[in-house]
């Protein structure tokens, strides 16, 4: 990648809704198309659905059957979207935001610039 590229930054967050804890980032994914972004959420929902309770499973399958098309249309308009389900006391939220990937921010590149070898982590206090 030598020029900025349009894509989508996808994240999965969980939060215990019983307390004041902040959401925790569980996964992230760099997608290069709306199809790839919504597929990431769909695969995750299909993967976890057998372990979900009845209400959360219904939420997951409702999005898979009826909400996914609306999500993709939103992404194609380059607008952010979220998909949320609640399992017992845990809220799981997938966020998808349109982004512009810069050449140095691409995680797919195999060649790092020469200055990358000069970086030495600093000790923190």
């Amino acid at each position: 990648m030598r020029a900025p590229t349009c894509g989508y930054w996808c994240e999965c967050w969980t939060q215990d809704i019983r307390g004041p804890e902040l959401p925790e980032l569980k996964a992230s994914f760099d997608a290069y198309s709306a199809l790839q972004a919504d597929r990431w959420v769909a695969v995750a929902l299909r993967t976890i659905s057998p372990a979900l309770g009845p209400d959360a499973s219904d939420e997951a399958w409702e999005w898979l059957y009826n909400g996914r098309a609306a999500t993709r249309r939103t992404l194609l308009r380059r607008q952010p979207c979220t998909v949320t389900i609640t399992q017992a006391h845990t809220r799981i939220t997938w966020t998808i935001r349109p982004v512009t990937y810069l050449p140095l921010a691409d995680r797919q590149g195999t060649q790092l610039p020469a200055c990358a070898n000069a970086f030495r982590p600093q000790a923190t206090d």
Side-chain angles (χ1 to χ4, degrees):
M1 179 169 78
R2 300 197 187 281
T5 303
C6 290
Y8 300 89
W9 183 247
C10 310
E11 297 175 335
C12 178
W13 294 82
T14 62
Q15 182 176 19
D16 185 336
I17 58 176
R18 296 173 294 181
E21 293 84 12
L22 295 173
E24 290 184 38
L25 179 65
K26 295 298 181 184
S28 62
F29 178 68
D30 49 337
Y32 290 88
S33 69
L35 172 67
Q36 196 177 27
D38 85 31
R39 186 181 304 142
W40 183 69
V41 177
V43 167
L45 283 172
R46 285 189 182 111
T47 301
I48 67 171
S49 67
L52 298 174
D55 292 341
S57 182
D58 288 347
E59 287 179 71
W61 287 102
E62 172 63 26
W63 181 82
L64 286 164
Y65 285 123
N66 299 316
R68 188 173 179 191
T71 296
R72 185 157 327 148
R73 283 192 299 274
T74 299
L75 294 173
L76 289 169
R77 289 191 305 270
R78 306 266 320 141
Q79 296 176 339
C81 61
T82 61
V83 177
T84 301
I85 63 169
T86 303
Q87 164 65 26
H89 302 290
T90 302
R91 178 181 303 123
I92 307 167
T93 302
W94 289 267
T95 62
I96 307 170
R97 295 185 307 270
V99 296
T100 301
Y101 291 111
L102 301 176
L104 292 177
D106 183 11
R107 295 194 296 178
Q108 306 302 321
T110 56
Q111 287 286 19
L112 294 175
C115 63
N117 296 324
F119 175 76
R120 298 289 178 250
Q122 300 291 322
T124 58
D125 294 335

